[in-house]
Amino acid sequence: MDQIIQRIFDVFLFGGKDFALFIISMIPFIELRGSIIFGAAMGIPWQHAFLVSFLGNILPVPFLILLARPIFAWLKTTRLLAGFTQKVEDRLMKKADKVTVQKYSAVGLFLFVAIPLPGTGAWSGSLIAALLDVKMRYALPAVIAGVFAAGVIMTVASYGLLGAIQLF
């Protein structure tokens, strides 16, 4: 498993450490959580790793919120991907139960994105916001704030409070 992860990171290093951090932070399921760990492992200062990972992770958010519903609707009309798309939507909607009350959807989205657990993050939060039809003016700040909070948590976990903890 370590070799597979190392190969993935090596692929992105052709553009330098910053490029690798930025791209890794945009990958679904890895996102900022994985890129900050990668930054710590590569010896990148925590402030730099946090900033690059944060910016990379929030870049796709507005596009996901705006385009997820039409893309899901179109994919459901295709013969090849209709079943898979429905399964993904159903799985996201099960997670959406934590966010569903429209009045508190922004707070729910923030908490959902901020807590660094598997299956949570900017991608899932943005897709849930789109599927629940949460307005952009509520969804975007909530997801961005959640990414920021997750970044703080992961930075402290990866670098230690004073940068004393080294992963390698």
Side-chain angles (χ1 to χ4, degrees):
M1 184 66 163
D2 291 340
Q3 291 175 346
I4 294 171
I5 293 171
Q6 185 61 45
R7 286 184 184 178
I8 291 170
F9 290 148
D10 288 345
V11 167
F12 295 118
L13 279 175
F14 76 89
K17 292 179 182 178
D18 288 345
F19 178 76
L21 277 179
F22 193 77
I23 297 298
I24 290 167
S25 68
M26 288 193 288
I27 298 172
F29 304 111
I30 297 174
E31 301 185 26
L32 167 130
R33 294 147 170 86
S35 65
I36 288 179
I37 293 170
F38 174 71
M42 296 302 294
I44 298 171
W46 70 266
Q47 304 93 328
H48 191 75
F50 177 87
L51 181 63
V52 171
S53 297
F54 175 75
L55 293 174
N57 199 199
I58 64 169
L59 181 66
V61 169
F63 303 105
L64 290 168
I65 294 170
L66 286 174
L67 301 174
R69 288 195 102 169
I71 290 172
F72 271 58
W74 174 74
L75 287 173
K76 286 187 210 175
T77 65
T78 65
R79 192 182 278 171
L80 182 64
L81 296 172
F84 175 73
T85 304
Q86 188 61 51
K87 286 180 184 179
V88 169
E89 185 174 331
D90 292 344
R91 190 166 186 211
L92 285 168
M93 293 309 285
K94 284 181 184 177
K95 291 182 180 192
D97 290 341
K98 302 169 187 163
V99 181
T100 52
V101 180
Q102 190 70 19
K103 185 177 178 183
Y104 301 107
S105 60
V107 174
L109 276 173
F110 165 77
L111 292 172
F112 181 80
V113 174
I115 299 170
L117 295 172
T120 65
W123 279 77
S124 298
S126 298
L127 293 174
I128 288 170
L131 294 174
L132 292 177
D133 206 20
V134 178
K135 294 182 178 172
M136 178 68 87
R137 68 177 182 224
Y138 299 119
L140 186 61
V143 172
I144 290 173
V147 169
F148 186 86
V152 169
I153 292 168
M154 290 306 300
T155 301
V156 169
S158 298
Y159 287 88
L161 287 175
L162 302 173
I165 298 173
Q166 295 280 334
L167 292 179
F168 296 107

